[in-house]
Amino acid sequence: SYMALKNYFISLEGGNYAALKSLKGSTFALSESVKLTFLAIQPDPFAPGSQVCVACPCPFSLQKVLLNDDINSAAPCRRVAAEDFILRSFHSAYHHQQRSSNYSYSGALQVLRPSQHVLERSTVRLVRANNGSVEVFLYARVKLPGHGRRIDGHGAIRILYDELLPAATRGVVGLDEEQLFQHVTCVHDQEHLRSQLHPAGCVAFVVNGAILPRDAGDSDCPLQSGAVPFTSPTSLQRTFTLPYSGKQITGMALPRGLTLIAGGGFHGKSTLLRALEVGVYNHTPDDGRVFVVVDPTAVKIRAEDRRSVHGVDISPFINNLPFKKQTTAFATSDASGSTSQAANIMEALELGSQLLLLDEDTCATNLMYRDALMQMLVPREQEPITPFVERVTDLVQHHEVSSIMVVGGSGQYFPYANVVLVMNAYQAQDCTESAKKIVATSMTSMQGTSSPISTVSIFNPHVNRCFDGNETFATVRCRKGREGTKVSGVGKDSIRFSEESIDLSMVEQIVEEGQVNAIAQCLAMLFDEGPAGVEAILNKGKSLPTMFSCVGEKEPRRATFHSDFSMLIEGCDARQREARLELQTPSCYLPHGFTTVARRFEIGAALNRLRTLRTYA
Ligand code: ADP
Ligand code: MG
């Protein structure tokens, strides 16, 4: 009966907390359509919550929503979008009921919170049972309460029957199928649109009517009032057809090459770039940035002084450092603004990025520009830095790597730009022609500052960089105590790796805590697998014919840059997907349901920032 669990808790009221252990592995029906399984039980009321799985029969037609009766044959992004919707629907039912409840909620129920982006997560799963029926699994943590160290049975009943059950009933069993269908369609259309960029010769698209500004510095929700919707300059306008909704959309398409975003301060430049940064992800339909998409390999580049760097060839940007410090396999535990930005560029290229996004607000000035006056004072031979302005065309012409840059303070990039946008009171204007005219008329005064474009590239796409697991983990292994190495995600910004802390606060395309958890598992796997396992992961990476998108679709491999290091990261990515984002490796213990997919760029970024990282050529 549906009261079995209730009766169980009543019978144990006030008893010894350790008795709850007997719940482990058992399943209870809480209602006709909601079942609860206890996966792990906390040892005492003060420990992290017990792990549960809530199961409900699939509340919608697979054929209608996934366009296929078989989960595994459906487009992965439709399944991911449906699972994402169910999670949101659960949260919104829970919060609705919490607001209208006349008693205060315990806060004992923990379910991963999704960001504005639709990503694959381990929290909600559509699963086909052995008997052929399809179920929704939702993984959560519940803190089972106590009176001191005694069982609080009535408290537990309230949490499970009055907080969890109604949220599952309304949010999952009773979800709005039409809204779900719209959500899934919208995500599939976004994914399709992104895949159309490359064939169309574009790297970014911003739909007319998009709401780019966010509500507040600490909120990723759309600005509530006073937002100026985006409109494309007519010269850059392009129309795409969305196959799943059948709609046509028009907006600004940015071609391959170099795009500059210029304009006065506070006119919306950084806001546009920030929207492009997260354009690698699909968004929820009400986000305002739906159909703002970029090349899926886009990486935000910024200066990040104090980070560590190991074995990165930054010589295209920095050479002849004082005291003959090598820059073809540069290593430092404390990078400067310019060396950190150079390393960030080279690492992004190595991992296969074909679109770099830069904002002058967070760039190192000396890596970005050098003007004629400074060049007269400090001759080329004395300056170790070759600024990005002299490399940006090489990347476009020889490696199909495009850049979109916010530059308000200098016109030095004008000669190399394919498009120059000017943001004026949040409106984008195409000022490419004016910029070209300015370049043409002032060329005499600029003579000697721009170096001619060479026919050979300074960049070598076959990067000779291998991960050295033994050396990287040597110190960690020494310190390894009885409890083993602990790797764990800490919020959205850092990973604990034994005694080390990896700072991810400047890896700006990490958008969810769950991604940090997933990355932590990847790094822990490299540690736990040992040399033979690492070799196997590397070989897996090398053998992959395609790569994965954030919603599990296969993506063609286009980048020319690669290395052993990048193949290892791709191997980690593949392993993480095979394990449905739960690698469950010994050094990184995580309850079920708390991981979100991370791109290979963010997994690589984390390993690149581990201070004990060692590589060899
Ligand atoms: P910039 O980088 O050009 O200095 P920002 O992008 O930082 O400017 O934007 C400045 C402010 O204007 C921010 O508070 C931002 O939220 C707001 N803003 C940006 N775009 C819009 C828009 N389209 N509508 C309304 N407000 C906007
Ligand atoms: Mg700005």
Side-chain angles (χ1 to χ4, degrees), residues 236-285:
L236 294 167
Q237 207 150 281
R238 203 166 169 138
T239 298
F240 286 93
T241 302
L242 304 172
Y244 301 101
S245 62
K247 279 190 295 200
Q248 287 207 325
I249 51 166
T250 300
M252 177 179 77
L254 297 176
R256 259 175 249 164
L258 172 64
T259 297
L260 301 180
I261 303 172
F266 227 65
H267 279 268
K269 303 184 297 298
S270 296
T271 302
L272 173 56
L273 194 82
R274 182 70 197 140
L276 296 176
E277 286 165 31
V278 292
V280 298
Y281 300 128
N282 302 314
H283 314 296
T284 59

Side-chain angles (χ1 to χ4, degrees), residues 485-489 517 520-521 524-525 528 584-590:
T485 300
K486 287 282 194 309
V487 185
S488 60
N517 289 336
Q521 290 203 336
M525 173 178 69
D528 289 332
Q584 301 295 5
T585 186
S587 296
C588 183
Y589 176 77
L590 263 179

Side-chain angles (χ1 to χ4, degrees), residues 86-129:
I86 295 167
L87 177 59
R88 291 174 199 280
S89 180
F90 176 87
H91 274 295
S92 101
Y94 180 85
H95 285 287
H96 178 81
Q97 130 207 335
Q98 184 174 27
R99 272 194 308 274
S100 51
S101 156
N102 48 17
Y103 88 94
S104 85
Y105 267 41
S106 61
L109 183 63
Q110 298 166 359
V111 184
L112 185 73
R113 306 205 116 275
S115 63
Q116 288 291 99
H117 314 289
V118 177
L119 295 164
E120 182 162 9
R121 300 183 189 87
S122 59
T123 320
V124 169
R125 275 177 194 181
L126 288 170
V127 181
R128 181 176 291 277

Side-chain angles (χ1 to χ4, degrees), residues 71-89:
I71 310 170
N72 297 319
S73 312
C77 80
R78 294 191 85 90
R79 177 183 54 76
V80 168
E83 291 168 346
D84 174 271
F85 181 87
I86 295 167
L87 177 59
R88 291 174 199 280
S89 180

